[in-house]
């Protein structure tokens, strides 16, 4: 064993501490490259959102501090966001630093009038499937806070053609019992022997697969009607502006 004098011990400890700081210092530039190659597909090149939530804002509800943000990146958010198990901790720190820098970008410019968009939302009966701040029905996705999770371009595309923006794992299913009427609904749960659906009226149905005459996955179909050609340009702008304004947590 090497016997170090107190001075040498102090110098070695200082050198190791400095090395550790150098290793863990976040590198936003390196983080940006990783973000653009692995995260931008869902969150957008500049964090404006898409299939994943927008990140270009000062406060992130699931990551109130840097430690929480690094944890979200490393562990993911099942089932929508995969864990970044392949990244080294220093790379995770770099991505987190880059994500924080996105909050300094100017906010997205959205056309339309949110107040008028409220009337479009009501006139088209959107509350019959969606909830905002506890009002409406829950067959479709909760829209409270949708403006903080999705950018205006994604919202516009979803209104015009909902089947183009279906989330991973979404299944719209038609189940026909041996006796009884067919039921269309969103798959809630499924195993090898049973399947559970939620229909447009909010009712839940459970079937044993052995008792079904037909079970069809309605690929690329959505229970939400497409509004392409159903809204004027002004109505569409206003509706998107209203949805983009919904930024409170559900």
């Amino acid at each position: 064993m090497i016997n170090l004098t107190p001075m040498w011990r102090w110098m070695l400890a200082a050198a190791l501490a400095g090395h550790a700081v150098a290793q863990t210092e976040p590198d936003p530039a390196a983080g940006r490259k990783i973000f653009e190659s692995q995260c931008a597909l869902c969150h957008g090149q500049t964090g404006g959102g898409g299939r994943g939530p927008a990140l270009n804002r000062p406060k992130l509800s699931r990551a109130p501090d840097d430690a929480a943000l690094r944890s979200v990146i490393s562990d993911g958010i099942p089932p929508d966001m995969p864990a970044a198990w392949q990244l080294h901790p220093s790379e995770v720190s770099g991505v987190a630093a880059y994500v924080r820098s996105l909050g300094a970008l100017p906010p997205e410019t959205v056309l339309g009038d949110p107040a008028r968009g409220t009337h479009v939302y009501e006139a088209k009966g959107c509350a019959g499937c969606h909830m905002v701040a506890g009002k409406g029905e829950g067959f479709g996705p909760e829209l409270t806070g949708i403006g903080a999770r999705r950018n205006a371009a994604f919202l516009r595309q979803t209104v015009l053609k909902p089947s183009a923006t279906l989330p991973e794992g979404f299944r719209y299913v038609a189940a026909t019992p041996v006796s009884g009427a067919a039921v269309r609904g969103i798959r809630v749960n499924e195993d090898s022997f049973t399947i559970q659906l939620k229909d447009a009226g909010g009712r839940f149905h459970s079937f044993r697969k052995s008792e079904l005459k037909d079970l069809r996955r309605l690929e690329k179909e959505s229970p939400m009607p497409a509004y392409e050609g159903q809204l004027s340009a002004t109505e569409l702008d206003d509706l998107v502006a209203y949805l983009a304004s919904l930024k409170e947590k559900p």
Side-chain angles (χ1 to χ4, degrees):
M1 180 180 293
I2 299 174
N3 186 20
L4 298 177
T5 65
M7 177 60 73
W8 276 107
R9 290 197 192 99
W10 179 86
M11 292 176 66
L12 179 60
L16 291 174
H19 181 61
V21 170
Q23 281 188 321
T24 58
E25 189 68 26
D27 185 350
R32 176 177 180 173
K33 293 179 181 179
I34 297 171
F35 181 92
E36 290 177 345
S37 66
Q38 301 186 37
C39 311
L41 178 64
C42 289
H43 294 288
Q45 287 292 323
T46 57
R51 292 169 62 184
L55 301 176
N56 57 349
R57 44 202 173 94
K59 294 183 179 180
L60 302 175
S61 59
R62 289 183 176 268
D65 54 46
D66 291 345
L69 179 55
R70 290 192 296 270
S71 178
V72 167
I73 295 169
S74 296
D75 302 334
I77 305 174
D80 300 318
M81 178 178 166
W85 55 266
Q86 76 281 10
L87 297 181
H88 186 274
S90 64
E91 293 177 312
V92 171
S93 295
V95 174
Y98 175 65
V99 169
R100 286 296 185 210
S101 75
L102 295 174
L105 294 179
E108 180 184 28
T109 299
V110 181
L111 301 175
D113 183 297
R116 291 199 307 259
T118 305
H119 299 302
V120 177
Y121 181 90
E122 294 172 351
K124 295 301 178 180
C126 302
C129 285
H130 300 283
M131 295 188 70
V132 174
K135 297 179 180 179
E137 301 295 333
F139 180 58
E142 163 81 55
L143 296 182
T144 306
I146 191 66
R149 303 193 302 273
R150 300 290 186 262
N151 65 8
F154 183 92
L155 295 173
R156 180 180 295 270
Q157 185 181 26
T158 301
V159 170
L160 294 176
K161 192 176 181 180
S163 61
T165 59
L166 294 176
E168 292 291 336
F170 175 88
R171 291 292 182 272
Y172 191 40
V173 177
T176 306
V178 173
S179 60
V183 174
R184 284 193 172 207
I186 297 172
R187 184 185 67 178
V188 177
N189 194 24
E190 182 178 7
D191 57 33
S192 300
F193 306 102
T194 65
I195 187 168
Q196 291 77 43
L197 309 178
K198 182 180 181 182
D199 68 20
R203 294 177 293 271
F204 290 89
H205 303 261
S206 182
F207 299 101
R208 294 190 65 83
K209 291 180 179 179
S210 61
E211 298 173 354
L212 292 175
K213 182 168 56 177
D214 185 45
L215 179 62
R216 288 185 297 124
R217 271 72 172 172
L218 305 175
E219 301 292 341
K220 300 298 181 182
E221 290 190 37
S222 169
M224 177 178 167
Y227 285 94
E228 194 167 22
Q230 306 301 311
L231 296 172
S232 70
T234 300
E235 287 176 324
L236 178 60
D237 285 345
D238 291 342
L239 178 58
V240 170
Y242 167 64
L243 296 173
S245 73
L246 301 175
K247 297 185 182 296
E248 295 299 319
K249 287 179 62 178

